[in-house]
Amino acid sequence: DGYFYHMMKQCRFSSKDLQGIEFIDSYYFNQAEYIRFNSTVGKYVGYTEHGVYNAEAWNSDAGILGQERGELERVCKQHAPIYYSA
């Protein structure tokens, strides 16, 4: 037994147009998502008390928020041609 922690980063593609790409960074604790960054929303959203607390802190930190916002360009859009060719 013990605790389960998981983080998952995703690029979601709705079309071949680069404007249709969405970056999602999710954090889980004991199999329940507690906080998520969504590039469409542009900020963190908390789903539990702890997640809301972290979302407020992380959204007020320009460094953390700027890094997450940049992931759409650095990861998703840069690798889109590879995903589309598969």
Side-chain angles (χ1 to χ4, degrees):
D1 290 337
Y3 295 102
F4 173 79
Y5 174 79
H6 177 73
M7 183 178 76
M8 183 169 51
K9 296 178 185 272
Q10 305 174 56
C11 295
R12 293 186 180 173
F13 301 89
S14 60
S15 69
K16 287 193 175 187
D17 179 14
L18 291 181
Q19 300 304 319
I21 299 175
E22 179 180 47
F23 173 73
I24 297 177
D25 188 7
S26 301
Y27 295 80
Y28 298 84
F29 184 72
N30 284 348
Q31 299 180 353
E33 184 177 24
Y34 70 93
I35 190 169
R36 171 188 289 189
F37 176 84
N38 184 317
S39 64
T40 303
V41 177
K43 65 179 184 175
Y44 287 96
V45 176
Y47 299 109
T48 65
E49 183 179 344
H50 182 66
V52 170
Y53 174 81
N54 282 338
E56 290 173 0
W58 296 353
N59 287 332
S60 66
D61 186 324
I64 292 173
L65 205 53
Q67 182 177 350
E68 286 288 20
R69 288 178 176 161
E71 291 295 296
L72 178 66
E73 296 293 328
R74 281 190 298 274
V75 177
C76 298
K77 290 185 178 180
Q78 180 179 354
H79 294 98
I82 297 167
Y83 298 132
Y84 290 141
S85 69

